[in-house]
Amino acid sequence: MEASQSEANPNPNPNTNNNANRNSIMSSMPLWPTIDGPLGLTEEESLRYSRRFYKFGYALLPWLWAVNCFYFWPVLRHPSSFPGIRRYVISSAIGFTVFTALLCSWALTFAIGGEDLFGPVWEKLVMYNLADRLGLTASSSSLWAKEGFHYQEAFNVTILGPPVLVLLHQRFINMRSLIQSI
Amino acid sequence: MAQNRRSKSILDSVGEEIIRIITPVSICMFMVVLMVCVLNTDSSDSASSSVPTIATIAYTETGSDSWWDKLKGALLNSLVFVAVITLATFLILLLFYFRCTRFLKFYMGFSAFIVLGFMGGEILLFMLEDFRIPIDCITFLVVLFNFTAVGVLAAFMSKMAIFVTQSYLVIIGVLVAYWFTLLPEWTTWMLLVALALYDLAAVLLPVGPLRLLVELAISRDEEIPALVFEARPVVVEDSVSNDNNNNTRFISTEDTELSAPLIDHRITLQLNRPEDALSSESWSLERIGLGSAGAIKLGLGDFIFYSVLVGRAAMYDLMTVYACYLAIMAGLGITLLLLALYEKALPALPVSIALGVLFYFLTRLVLEVFVVQCSLNLLMF
């Protein structure tokens, strides 16, 4: 009990063990289900968030499942404390491992098998050839630029331009709260 | 006694706060230098069609122009760019003034999507082509889609894991900075100088758009809808407030006493949490961090332009990289000092860019000759 309490506290402190003995009811479980500790979510919100992450992960997003497991890591470490959240986090972990295993096996088969396994289709599926043919990178012969109008440049200016400008607009440094206790 | 305890904790945490902002800036610069060194080994100044043309609208630099022409062209380019940025900032200010915060938030998520998806994808393709990694398009698309989707979520949601949000912000900074290093050389340097000067005006002058934005946000007690890097606040615990730790989720009446001084300082606060910033979590956070000096927030544009400077220095030689890195860190330290002195939003670009540009040209013109001669004569390596 004390061990889990001292792990769950963000800054373990020899005094907390004494307090844990006194407040054993309150301190029998870690307080914060997220990895950020007191800076993260409360338990009710954590349930909503983990459920939403779990459901969205089904849209071919194993990385979201992994982030779910990472974010609610204390739930995995102290399984008895957060039963509701635990269900979703464990399912996310299982989903992530399964999906990654499948994806890795496909990618490795593709990379190692090469043309011997796939035949001429390999050349068509490999990404760098595809990028060349579609003219996605500038160094390739772009079939867009063959016409008079440079689609790539227009794309750069209209689609890429404004978001980048929006990202650039904030260029100052500030502090949230400053030396208020002095 | 309590005063001593609090001042002790300020001194304890100020070093860590600075480290927590310097580390991501350094990581961003390091990754940009790495990408520049890895991806630019063959092409020197070939103006490819993916060069950000919005910054070369006025003039496209070619290799054969004279010195004076290049200077004029670069000046024109940077003036156009600064004008466009001013327009964009005023537009954002207008939208914020008319409380279109949802649209702004959506557009921030959209720009994160564009940067991560298209620019990230393009840079990944560069790397795949350079190293001939045999990835097929299905895996590539799935990986890119995952990466982008989680990045957009990290940009949208304010309650994502802090580490994930910070990493995605740094990655966005790296991608945009790399894209900017593809600009022609003179334009880049002139652009940096112009932006540093413009920043001084925009943040310090009363009519500057950035200053108006900050004041509007403070007066309304909202956060500016933007992608801002906030360093994780240092949580300093006094041993006195031990039993408070067990009550941290409950808002007791002690809260009001300790948060009363915070209310006074809210005029100078820039709350990073969204409109429900007065929710219980942030108050308990302020309480836990009894001695915390708050979180330093650095805009993403600063990350980007620091990294552009260092990336452009990397295109010359690594010696300039070291010099510019040290100069930028010194500038950042000076800016933090000024921030602690003046306690209001300050432009982070001018000091660092000035020192960086100065050190770049000094190194390139003076130091390099010295070091090369020393090495040739086996005096110092």
Side-chain angles (χ1 to χ4, degrees):
Chain A
M1 285 300 181
E2 283 83 6
S4 76
Q5 173 63 19
S6 60
E7 277 169 350
N9 266 344
N11 294 329
N13 195 318
N15 290 336
T16 49
N17 284 333
N18 300 333
N19 281 343
N21 283 329
R22 279 189 282 120
N23 305 332
S24 57
I25 301 171
M26 201 118 53
S27 61
S28 60
M29 60 182 200
L31 300 170
W32 303 102
T34 61
I35 203 172
D36 290 333
L39 300 170
L41 304 169
T42 60
E43 195 170 337
E44 306 80 39
E45 281 195 347
S46 305
L47 190 61
R48 281 195 295 129
Y49 270 69
S50 68
R51 186 187 310 145
R52 208 182 303 167
F53 282 173
Y54 172 66
K55 290 198 177 141
F56 272 131
Y58 275 111
L60 289 185
L61 290 173
W63 184 232
L64 190 59
W65 278 331
V67 167
N68 198 8
C69 297
F70 171 73
Y71 195 22
F72 296 108
W73 186 247
V75 174
L76 281 178
R77 289 209 61 188
H78 307 277
S80 52
S81 320
F82 303 102
I85 307 176
R86 180 170 174 262
R87 210 162 38 101
Y88 294 113
V89 175
I90 298 276
S91 320
S92 306
I94 297 175
F96 169 65
T97 16
V98 166
F99 200 106
T100 314
L102 286 174
L103 197 67
C104 278
S105 53
W106 159 250
L108 281 174
T109 318
F110 187 86
I112 298 179
E115 293 204 45
D116 310 330
L117 200 57
F118 290 91
V121 187
W122 196 87
E123 285 293 321
K124 290 216 196 97
L125 281 181
V126 166
M127 198 59 209
Y128 44 77
N129 285 348
L130 209 62
D132 267 346
R133 268 189 294 126
L134 292 179
L136 294 172
T137 58
S139 54
S140 53
S141 58
S142 167
L143 53 83
W144 290 353
K146 281 186 189 145
E147 329 209 347
F149 186 55
H150 294 278
Y151 286 110
Q152 188 105 11
E153 291 189 16
F155 179 79
N156 273 339
V157 173
T158 54
I159 307 285
L160 288 186
V164 168
L165 286 176
V166 155
L167 284 178
L168 291 179
H169 87 276
Q170 183 151 35
R171 288 182 313 282
F172 51 81
I173 188 170
N174 198 356
M175 246 198 219
R176 186 148 56 96
S177 60
L178 199 49
I179 318 181
Q180 71 267 17
S181 41
I182 284 188
Chain B
M1 181 64 149
Q3 208 72 6
N4 281 348
R5 210 177 272 284
R6 268 181 250 160
S7 57
K8 164 180 169 255
S9 54
I10 284 294
L11 284 178
D12 275 346
S13 68
V14 80
E16 183 158 4
E17 300 247 356
I18 292 181
I19 295 230
R20 282 191 185 169
I21 196 73
I22 283 187
T23 310
V25 176
S26 309
I27 292 178
C28 186
M29 289 201 253
F30 173 71
M31 289 189 58
V32 171
V33 167
L34 203 65
M35 280 177 25
V36 163
C37 290
V38 157
L39 291 176
N40 283 19
T41 43
D42 45 356
S43 64
S44 47
D45 53 354
S46 56
S48 48
S49 61
S50 80
V51 163
T53 49
I54 205 167
T56 52
I57 267 179
Y59 161 76
T60 308
E61 180 178 318
T62 58
S64 58
D65 287 352
S66 74
W67 188 86
W68 183 240
D69 276 341
K70 280 192 197 174
L71 194 64
K72 275 194 305 183
L75 201 62
L76 212 60
N77 265 339
S78 46
L79 284 178
V80 167
F81 192 75
V82 166
V84 172
I85 278 203
T86 319
L87 242 86
T89 314
F90 269 114
L91 198 65
I92 291 175
L93 179 67
L94 220 63
L95 286 174
F96 189 58
Y97 184 72
F98 289 121
R99 298 181 189 268
C100 309
T101 27
R102 285 203 57 183
F103 173 74
L104 277 173
K105 217 158 184 277
F106 165 74
Y107 201 75
M108 292 295 156
F110 175 69
S111 44
F113 167 72
I114 291 280
V115 169
L116 288 172
F118 286 103
M119 285 200 221
E122 204 168 315
I123 289 177
L124 268 177
L125 280 175
F126 282 153
M127 284 201 269
L128 287 183
E129 283 185 354
D130 266 358
F131 295 121
R132 309 298 284 177
I133 302 178
I135 293 189
D136 64 309
C137 50
I138 305 169
T139 317
F140 179 78
L141 282 174
V142 168
V143 167
L144 191 65
F145 173 61
N146 266 278
F147 181 66
T148 310
V150 179
V152 171
L153 276 179
F156 253 131
M157 289 165 36
S158 47
K159 288 289 206 170
M160 180 71 102
I162 292 183
F163 180 69
V164 171
T165 314
Q166 286 180 341
S167 335
Y168 267 106
L169 285 177
V170 168
I171 289 175
I172 290 178
V174 166
L175 293 176
V176 179
Y178 179 71
W179 202 60
F180 267 98
T181 59
L182 297 175
L183 285 176
E185 186 168 8
W186 287 73
T187 309
T188 318
W189 292 109
M190 201 58 73
L191 188 70
L192 285 170
V193 172
L195 266 175
L197 291 173
Y198 166 70
D199 253 13
L200 273 177
V203 181
L204 296 179
L205 286 184
V207 291
L210 289 176
R211 177 174 176 150
L212 292 173
L213 202 58
V214 171
E215 285 178 353
L216 198 59
I218 288 181
S219 68
R220 282 196 204 165
D221 247 357
E222 295 173 358
E223 61 155 15
I224 299 177
L227 293 177
V228 169
F229 187 93
E230 176 170 358
R232 187 189 290 254
V234 176
V235 176
V236 175
E237 279 190 13
D238 295 333
S239 48
V240 173
S241 59
N242 237 351
D243 49 350
N244 289 338
N245 288 342
N246 296 332
N247 297 335
T248 46
R249 281 197 290 164
F250 308 107
I251 306 305
S252 54
T253 51
E254 299 174 61
D255 256 348
T256 50
E257 288 173 12
L258 289 163
S259 23
L262 294 176
I263 296 176
D264 292 337
H265 285 262
R266 255 207 280 132
I267 308 169
T268 56
L269 281 185
Q270 180 151 3
L271 296 174
N272 189 51
R273 310 272 175 198
E275 281 80 302
D276 54 349
L278 304 180
S279 67
S280 50
E281 287 116 31
S282 58
W283 285 123
S284 56
L285 162 65
E286 299 292 333
R287 237 175 31 82
I288 296 170
L290 192 61
S292 81
I296 301 180
K297 301 180 356 155
L298 189 59
L300 206 60
D302 296 320
F303 272 81
I304 292 173
F305 286 114
Y306 291 164
S307 309
V308 168
L309 197 150
V310 177
R312 185 39 86 166
M315 284 182 173
Y316 184 65
D317 193 38
L318 279 184
M319 195 168 27
T320 44
V321 169
Y322 301 138
C324 290
Y325 173 73
L326 291 174
I328 290 182
M329 284 301 144
L332 191 60
I334 294 177
T335 313
L336 284 172
L337 203 67
L338 290 173
L339 182 67
L341 269 179
Y342 287 108
E343 291 193 19
K344 50 184 237 183
L346 286 181
L349 277 187
V351 183
S352 289
I353 299 277
L355 283 176
V357 170
L358 183 71
F359 271 58
Y360 173 79
F361 284 111
L362 278 181
T363 307
R364 184 166 168 170
L365 299 171
V366 171
L367 188 65
E368 190 190 8
V369 178
F370 174 67
V371 170
V372 165
Q373 287 303 316
C374 278
S375 304
L376 284 179
N377 291 310
L378 302 180
L379 202 59
M380 176 179 82
F381 301 104

